[in-house]
Amino acid sequence: MPISEILLAGASERDLTKLEEYHMVGGYAQLARARELEPAAILAELDASNLRGRGGAFFATGKKAGFMPRDSPRPKYLTVNADESEPGTFKDREIMLRVPHRVIEGSLITAHAIEARHVFIYIRGEYLTEFEVLRAALDEAREAELLGGVTLVLHRGAGAYICGEETGLLESLEGKRGQPRAKPPYPAITGLYGAPTLINNVETMATVPKIMELGGEEYAKLGTPDSTGTRVFSLSGNVVRGGNYELPNGTTLRELIYDIGGGVPDGRELKAIIPGGSSVQILTADQVDTPLSYDAMREAGSSVGSGAIIVIDDRACIVQLGLRVAQFYMHESCGKCTPCREGTRWMVQLLNRIEDGDAEEDELDLLLDVCDRILGHCLCPLGDAAAMPIASYVDKFRDEFREHVRAGRCPYGGESSLERVFAPVDQHRGHPTVEVAT
Amino acid sequence: MIDEIRRVAEQYPVARSAILPALRIAQERHGGWLPPEAFEEVGEALDLTPAYCKAVASFYDMFHLEPVGRHLVELCTNVSCALVGAQQVLEAFEEELGVRPGETTEDGAVTLRTIECAGGCGWGTVVVVDHRYREPVRAEDVPGIVQELRDAD
């Protein structure tokens, strides 16, 4: 199967972190061309490409940019979301390390398209090396007078998953705790400092120069009609060759996991797949022929999410998986909305009871009920992102959950690959996760 | 330090936006954590109250409100790393350092922490040593990493 490189194109042959090398592959030519075009013409190309946001929500990029007001008495802002933190996802990191100039060029083209003079790139604090690479690229671009009067600020986060949520990001960038805002008003109307703001993912931005080069219509011929173009998929877990692979949308899980990733190691059996980061519903081994496209994943009962595929073999206890995933969301809940703050804690407590063999059968339904009471009841998607996967684990592996209840212990008998994993919540004093009031 | 923070703040339309870089500068200056006086300094530089600065700092995992060791070893135990043996790597660090996650060695050299997904999932287990990623790390690599830190100390 051909590996189609669009946004990583040229990065295997050349050191594209250097401006000189990036120029050799046509770097910044599209920016120069875009600046000759009317902003509306660029938006038309984005619309024609049907590019959809690569952060996880898959919203149409051109349409979102179109929400920005044409005339605004206030400054307009473009904010690039480089706060990659969805478990399983590490593709923006690779994009920033290998094609930092493409991220900058795409951001500057997009800024021109919405007539913004200010760009902020919010990069997660842990990505220190990536920050340094991006800063060096930005210095080169500034030196070469490519910014064209636009101010571009690299802003480092400081460790908070929730700041990847667009309004949490804006709050954080304004110097506050990163707690999401109620929507509406949407950021396009009231965003950063109360002004119109467009927020796009790193990968989305790095795709823009290639869309300008190929033309939106040509780009749309790649991938599938509902999911055009390519994507950098992050492959991890129980797979021989984990890593990032840029592939056309619509590639099947089987092709990615087996043909490219080398399959499941150590002669183990495939048990389950998380196809879009830890926030999405789990798939069972028999769904391995599902294409990685928006519609196909919807039909399969899950989501393409952030393009992060986590492979799980038959050594993993699904209750333990659920516990570790729930612990993550409990740790990262910002505490603003009650259903998420309290619900994620309940999920952890119930999953601990089930794993320890202390739960009754009706606690499985109680767990689903807790998930149900979170879903759709919070300001931002974090609560949903906890409830959806956990409910899917119970739904798809109910027998395994029941076995814990019936046997009064974990059927893996201490042999699960996820046995006793020490989560960050476990090291916070005053947050015992094992007690439950039922 | 106050002048340095104010220079960083000039990049932003509103000075308060510089609070994360400001806290980072203060933390580096104070040996890797934020003592009460750090919030007074950041507050003075950005015209914010110390209480506000502490409230913001406490939201973010990378700010430490208690003293930490001279070196920081942070290990991801999220799903992708856990599936490929993060717990075994963590236990190797516990044994080698003689501390539990969240604790600092008695000589103040190393703080061991577990962290949520660091974004190196395809190359687990990810261990972040003094803010630089090591990936993949296996249990047998741990004595070497600890020796390296002791030699550097």
Side-chain angles (χ1 to χ4, degrees):
Chain A
M1 190 184 39
I3 293 185
S4 169
E5 289 200 324
I6 295 291
L7 61 123
L8 292 177
S12 302
E13 300 83 41
R14 294 173 184 278
D15 176 8
L16 295 186
T17 62
K18 302 273 183 295
L19 179 59
E20 197 185 351
E21 298 276 315
Y22 187 55
H23 275 315
M24 309 277 267
V25 295
Y28 290 105
Q30 296 308 317
L31 173 64
R33 196 171 73 86
R35 284 185 172 145
E36 301 295 316
L37 296 172
E38 286 299 312
I42 299 167
L43 293 181
E45 288 297 338
L46 290 177
D47 281 335
S49 75
N50 197 19
L51 174 67
R52 295 168 79 172
R54 303 299 196 226
F58 226 61
F59 193 84
T61 304
K63 191 173 173 186
K64 186 156 85 173
F67 292 153
M68 291 289 285
R70 287 276 164 79
D71 302 306
S72 169
R74 316 199 57 171
K76 289 191 258 191
Y77 296 104
L78 170 65
T79 304
V80 180
N81 189 343
D83 194 45
E84 176 171 72
S85 317
E86 171 75 11
T89 317
F90 50 104
K91 45 101 182 165
D92 291 339
R93 181 182 164 202
E94 178 136 355
I95 292 165
M96 290 187 282
L97 282 177
R98 296 182 67 198
V99 289
H101 282 291
R102 204 164 269 151
V103 176
I104 294 168
E105 184 180 11
S107 302
L108 292 171
I109 293 171
T110 307
H112 178 67
I114 60 167
E115 298 172 271
R117 313 292 295 162
H118 308 279
V119 179
F120 290 94
I121 299 182
Y122 188 109
I123 180 168
R124 76 176 288 186
E126 291 86 349
Y127 282 178
L128 175 57
T129 303
E130 292 73 10
F131 165 76
E132 290 167 349
V133 168
L134 209 49
R135 183 177 59 187
L138 178 60
D139 287 345
E140 278 189 310
R142 190 179 284 124
E143 186 81 6
E145 297 182 354
L146 289 163
L147 298 193
V150 172
T151 64
L152 200 161
V153 175
L154 298 180
H155 184 85
R156 293 179 67 199
Y161 171 70
I162 193 59
C163 293
E165 193 279 335
E166 59 178 10
T167 62
L169 186 153
L170 296 179
E171 288 285 295
S172 181
L173 190 46
E174 288 185 7
K176 304 175 198 165
R177 293 163 70 91
Q179 294 187 302
R181 302 172 179 173
K183 292 188 279 192
Y186 288 91
I189 307 302
T190 306
L192 187 62
Y193 312 118
T197 304
L198 178 65
I199 301 147
N200 281 325
N201 168 263
V202 164
E203 186 178 0
T204 312
M205 289 295 88
T207 307
V208 168
K210 279 287 174 178
I211 289 175
M212 296 303 292
E213 184 186 318
L214 296 169
E217 274 182 36
E218 277 304 305
Y219 180 84
K221 289 177 186 167
L222 299 163
T224 66
D226 63 288
S227 308
T228 59
T230 64
R231 200 166 179 186
V232 179
F233 292 103
S234 298
L235 181 64
S236 69
N238 300 126
V239 64
V240 174
R241 287 186 293 276
N244 289 309
Y245 302 98
E246 184 177 2
L247 300 164
N249 283 305
T251 302
T252 67
L253 285 168
R254 184 187 295 278
E255 289 168 320
L256 176 60
I257 295 168
Y258 289 93
D259 300 349
I260 295 165
V264 180
D266 309 326
R268 308 300 307 201
E269 291 289 314
L270 176 67
K271 179 173 185 176
I273 307 152
I274 297 175
S278 72
S279 301
V280 309
Q281 294 90 340
I282 201 162
L283 299 178
T284 45
D286 60 333
Q287 293 179 292
V288 72
D289 289 305
T290 309
L292 284 155
S293 73
Y294 185 82
D295 288 352
M297 276 296 161
R298 280 276 141 204
E299 261 170 54
S302 189
S303 165
V304 284
S306 58
I309 292 87
I310 305 174
V311 182
I312 298 166
D313 74 20
D314 58 353
R315 292 171 302 170
C317 166
I318 296 292
V319 175
Q320 292 179 8
L321 173 71
L323 177 59
R324 186 63 190 86
V325 169
Q327 284 172 320
F328 168 72
Y329 292 100
M330 175 183 157
H331 186 257
E332 301 300 333
S333 174
C334 82
K336 187 167 180 171
C337 307
T338 308
C340 171
R341 182 185 66 240
E342 300 301 320
T344 50
R345 193 175 164 83
W346 271 76
M347 287 160 69
V348 168
Q349 291 176 338
L350 286 164
L351 284 159
N352 261 315
R353 282 176 58 82
I354 297 165
E355 170 59 19
D356 291 345
D358 297 332
E360 304 293 332
E361 175 87 26
D362 61 1
E363 285 174 54
L364 302 187
D365 292 320
L366 179 60
L367 178 57
L368 289 175
D369 189 48
V370 169
C371 294
D372 202 41
R373 283 160 196 266
I374 297 172
L375 263 176
H377 292 128
C378 304
L379 291 178
C380 92
L382 190 143
D384 292 357
M388 290 187 304
I390 301 298
S392 79
Y393 302 169
V394 180
D395 186 38
K396 297 216 157 150
F397 293 92
R398 185 125 191 166
D399 286 347
E400 194 170 323
F401 278 78
R402 279 217 184 97
E403 184 57 25
H404 282 75
V405 173
R406 233 187 335 251
R409 63 182 178 81
C410 177
Y412 283 80
E415 298 297 316
S416 161
S417 57
L418 296 171
E419 189 70 27
R420 293 173 292 112
V421 179
F422 192 96
V425 278
D426 294 325
Q427 68 198 1
H428 288 301
R429 285 196 301 264
H431 288 269
T433 61
V434 286
E435 294 146 36
V436 69
T438 49
Chain B
M1 179 165 81
I2 286 172
D3 287 340
E4 187 183 347
I5 292 172
R6 286 184 178 152
R7 272 197 304 278
V8 171
E10 284 168 10
Q11 295 182 90
Y12 301 93
V14 176
R16 188 180 59 193
S17 282
I19 193 164
L20 296 187
L23 289 166
R24 189 175 288 112
I25 290 167
Q27 181 162 282
E28 278 165 18
R29 241 13 100 68
H30 287 280
W33 73 294
L34 291 163
E37 59 267 31
F39 301 117
E40 289 174 24
E41 291 155 356
V42 170
E44 188 189 334
L46 298 177
D47 197 20
L48 300 165
T49 67
Y52 180 83
C53 297
K54 188 171 183 181
V56 170
S58 70
F59 190 81
Y60 298 90
D61 272 2
M62 292 177 75
F63 295 125
H64 303 288
L65 305 185
E66 286 169 25
V68 293
R70 294 183 291 279
H71 300 285
L72 209 50
V73 172
E74 299 172 295
L75 186 141
C76 171
T77 65
N78 206 300
V79 174
S80 297
C81 286
L83 284 167
V84 296
Q87 184 63 28
Q88 286 72 48
V89 180
L90 178 63
E91 285 166 15
F93 272 111
E94 288 178 337
E95 188 166 315
E96 204 66 29
L97 293 167
V99 293
R100 296 272 293 152
E103 294 176 355
T104 302
T105 55
E106 253 175 47
D107 59 359
V110 182
T111 296
L112 177 66
R113 299 175 82 210
T114 59
I115 53 170
E116 290 298 1
C117 184
C121 323
W123 312 294
T125 296
V126 179
V127 176
V128 187
V129 179
D130 293 332
H131 311 292
R132 298 291 176 181
Y133 284 44
R134 308 282 179 100
E135 52 204 347
V137 173
R138 309 198 194 287
E140 59 265 30
D141 302 326
V142 169
I145 293 173
V146 171
Q147 191 56 48
E148 192 189 314
L149 291 176
R150 292 215 168 105
D151 291 346
D153 197 45

